[in-house]
Amino acid sequence: MAVRLFMGAVYSVCASAAMTLAGDVLPPLAVTKGISRFALTVSIGMAFGPFVGIQIQNRMSSRAAFLTVFAMTVAALILLAFVRIAYPKKKRRPFSLRQTLHRPSFPFTFNMTFFMIPYGAVIAYSAILAQEKNLSGVLPYFYICLVAGMLSSKLSTQKAIDAGHHRIPVYVSILVLTATMRPLLPHSERPLR
């Protein structure tokens, strides 16, 4: 649990820093589109990661799996060392906690928080559910379909979202998420009517 908490803290810092860096180095006219595409690659990585992890876990011993993931991390660090970004000099205001809390963003923030809880649960526990249902053989296709769904939804809704018409895609997405999560409950756990 301590290691997982540490990983979460490091990930949150890296994700925020990466988004900030992407916003700073993108041309002003391409910030919206560039940030959107960058966020898509992060989501694809998070969806594709469990697929790779399951393949490693199923085909290797625990020690070999750990060493393989460690080697992938070292390779990522080596590749990162070759990245050269001309970071523009910007005048930064002193840090202020009050300025980091932007009130108009609160509804969106709470919405995304509650939206990501079931998303994270699906990603984390899909492998366990597949094992309980004897569907481990088809689990990789779940992750492939998840990535395909992310790509197709991003490409099909990007122009509407960039134009400010985001309400309908968000409402439809939440309704679809709600409809697809309900059948996952075992019969004994479904609420009585």
Side-chain angles (χ1 to χ4, degrees):
M1 286 176 62
V3 171
R4 190 69 182 99
L5 286 170
F6 176 74
M7 289 171 60
V10 171
Y11 173 78
S12 65
V13 171
C14 291
S16 300
M19 287 289 186
T20 303
L21 178 62
D24 285 345
V25 300
L26 285 166
L29 296 176
V31 169
T32 303
K33 188 181 290 186
I35 289 289
S36 177
R37 290 179 180 172
F38 180 75
L40 175 63
T41 61
V42 173
S43 297
I44 290 174
M46 290 183 70
F48 195 65
F51 169 75
V52 175
I54 288 171
Q55 300 306 312
I56 291 172
Q57 177 183 338
N58 290 342
R59 290 171 168 75
M60 299 180 177
S61 65
S62 296
R63 180 180 175 82
F66 177 81
L67 291 174
T68 301
V69 174
F70 180 75
M72 291 169 69
T73 306
V74 171
L77 286 171
I78 292 171
L79 291 173
L80 182 64
F82 290 99
V83 174
R84 296 287 181 264
I85 297 175
Y87 194 81
K89 290 184 178 179
K90 295 198 173 193
K91 188 175 181 181
R92 306 276 184 188
R93 290 181 291 183
F95 176 78
S96 170
L97 183 62
R98 187 174 182 180
Q99 291 180 352
T100 60
L101 303 175
H102 188 57
R103 290 195 178 196
S105 70
F106 283 0
F108 175 76
T109 301
F110 290 130
N111 182 29
M112 285 305 296
T113 299
F114 288 111
F115 182 76
M116 293 306 289
I117 289 172
Y119 172 75
V122 167
I123 295 297
Y125 295 109
S126 56
I128 297 172
L129 178 65
Q131 289 174 355
E132 289 179 355
K133 303 280 186 182
N134 295 321
L135 296 172
S136 297
V138 298
L139 186 60
Y141 301 107
F142 166 78
Y143 292 110
I144 292 171
C145 290
L146 183 62
V147 172
M150 286 181 174
L151 285 171
S152 61
S153 66
K154 192 70 170 176
L155 295 174
S156 61
T157 61
Q158 187 60 54
K159 288 185 179 179
I161 292 172
D162 288 345
H165 308 298
H166 56 275
R167 288 181 181 267
I168 292 177
V170 168
Y171 291 151
V172 170
S173 298
I174 291 175
L175 288 173
V176 170
L177 177 68
T178 303
T180 55
M181 291 298 289
R182 181 174 170 77
L184 293 178
L185 293 173
H187 291 287
S188 59
E189 295 181 14
R190 288 184 182 173
L192 298 175
R193 293 185 179 178

